[in-house]
């Protein structure tokens, strides 16, 4: 089971990001914000790649782009449902990051006293709630010492179904299983189907 889980890419890996690199950690923060809204993962991934293509991958570049340009990029990726509010939030996030942390997302981690304080500081950014924080931090475990969020209910549910105790280690992969197979009731093609105690659970 763990061998199968280890082969499932996390979303950051699928996006071509290496979270050991500082520049990719801000990109992942941006992606996490996009993933957190009630929108499909495919649209969030496509929209993130539009930000990469437009070279809007730092707080400074986001500020320079301005609201209209951000809306254009969001719309080009299909992020039309939340384009206006997300553009507004991204500008405020970038501004706060530059003013209070010198434009360096790592400084948020450095200034946090412990894992819960880190989550609190991240949620002080406009439009960044518990879902975005969990998405962002669960893939930074082992990279940022204070990145240790409580596992998401989605990961806990899949772990319960397959009898897995090491939830945090595989959280990102468990969430993918939930979203791509459990939620869509695609049990027959799930890579963990032989371990599941509750296939085709309604």
């Amino acid at each position: 089971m763990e061998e199968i889980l280890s082969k499932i890419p996390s979303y950051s890996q699928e996006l071509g990001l290496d979270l050991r690199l500082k520049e990719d950690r801000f990109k992942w923060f941006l992606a996490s914000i996009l993933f957190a809204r009630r929108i499909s993962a495919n649209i969030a991934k496509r929209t993130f790649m539009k930000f990469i293509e437009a070279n809007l991958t730092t707080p400074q570049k986001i500020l320079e782009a301005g609201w209209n340009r951000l809306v254009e990029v969001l719309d080009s990726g299909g992020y039309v449902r939340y384009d206006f509010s997300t553009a507004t939030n991204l500008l405020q996030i970038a501004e706060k990051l530059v003013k209070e942390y010198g434009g360096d997302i790592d400084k948020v981690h450095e200034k946090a006293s412990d894992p819960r304080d880190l989550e609190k500081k991240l949620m002080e950014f406009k439009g960044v709630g518990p879902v975005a924080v969990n998405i962002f931090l669960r893939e930074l475990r082992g990279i940022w010492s204070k990145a240790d969020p409580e596992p998401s209910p989605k990961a806990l549910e899949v772990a319960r179904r397959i009898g897995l105790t090491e939830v945090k280690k595989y959280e990102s992969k468990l969430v993918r299983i939930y979203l791509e197979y459990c939620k869509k009731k695609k049990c027959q093609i799930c890579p963990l189907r032989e371990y599941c105690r509750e296939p085709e659970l309604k």
Side-chain angles (χ1 to χ4, degrees):
M1 183 200 310
E2 293 187 20
E3 184 179 352
I4 294 171
L5 282 168
S6 67
K7 291 178 180 176
I8 297 170
S10 66
Y11 283 120
S12 65
Q13 290 170 336
E14 186 176 332
L15 294 172
L17 303 178
D18 181 350
L19 299 186
R20 294 169 297 180
L21 303 175
K22 177 180 282 196
E23 61 268 27
D24 279 8
R25 289 195 283 272
F26 176 76
K27 293 174 189 174
W28 177 236
F29 187 47
L30 170 60
S32 299
I33 292 165
L34 297 174
F35 275 115
R37 301 301 287 266
R38 289 183 178 276
I39 206 157
S40 78
N42 284 337
I43 290 175
K45 285 184 278 188
R46 188 164 65 240
T47 303
F48 174 77
M49 296 313 296
K50 294 294 184 181
F51 273 82
I52 297 291
E53 290 170 18
N55 199 27
L56 299 177
T57 55
T58 68
Q60 295 84 354
K61 287 175 180 175
I62 285 172
L63 287 172
E64 289 167 9
W67 189 83
N68 287 335
R69 177 63 179 138
L70 291 177
V71 170
E72 284 178 9
V73 175
L74 289 160
D75 287 353
S76 71
Y79 212 88
V80 293
R81 186 175 174 189
Y82 300 109
D83 51 355
F84 288 8
S85 60
T86 302
T88 299
N89 290 347
L90 288 175
L91 285 173
Q92 292 189 31
I93 288 166
E95 183 178 16
K96 180 180 175 70
L97 200 52
V98 168
K99 283 186 175 179
E100 298 183 20
Y101 298 98
D104 185 353
I105 192 69
D106 280 31
K107 290 280 176 41
V108 183
H109 177 254
E110 289 170 19
K111 291 186 177 183
S113 58
D114 56 39
R116 301 292 84 80
D117 187 45
L118 174 59
E119 291 165 21
K120 178 175 173 288
K121 288 185 184 307
L122 288 168
M123 282 190 279
E124 289 171 357
F125 288 95
K126 176 71 173 175
V128 177
V131 174
V133 168
N134 176 270
I135 292 170
F136 179 58
L137 292 180
R138 69 191 180 212
E139 296 201 23
L140 284 170
R141 284 198 184 97
I143 296 172
W144 277 1
S145 61
K146 298 162 201 162
D148 189 25
E150 290 297 318
S152 73
K154 294 180 180 68
L156 290 170
E157 173 63 16
V158 176
R160 184 186 66 78
R161 292 187 190 185
I162 63 175
L164 182 74
T165 55
E166 288 187 280
V167 182
K168 289 184 177 181
K169 181 178 179 181
Y170 297 104
E171 182 176 6
S172 296
K173 296 146 189 297
L174 293 170
V175 170
R176 285 202 75 151
I177 291 290
Y178 180 87
L179 293 174
E180 296 174 14
Y181 300 99
C182 304
K183 186 177 180 181
K184 296 177 181 179
K185 296 184 172 59
K186 293 184 175 180
C187 302
Q188 295 305 314
I189 59 171
C190 176
L192 295 175
R193 62 189 177 279
E194 64 182 283
Y195 302 100
C196 185
R197 299 167 179 174
E198 300 175 24
E200 297 185 30
L201 188 70
K202 301 299 182 186

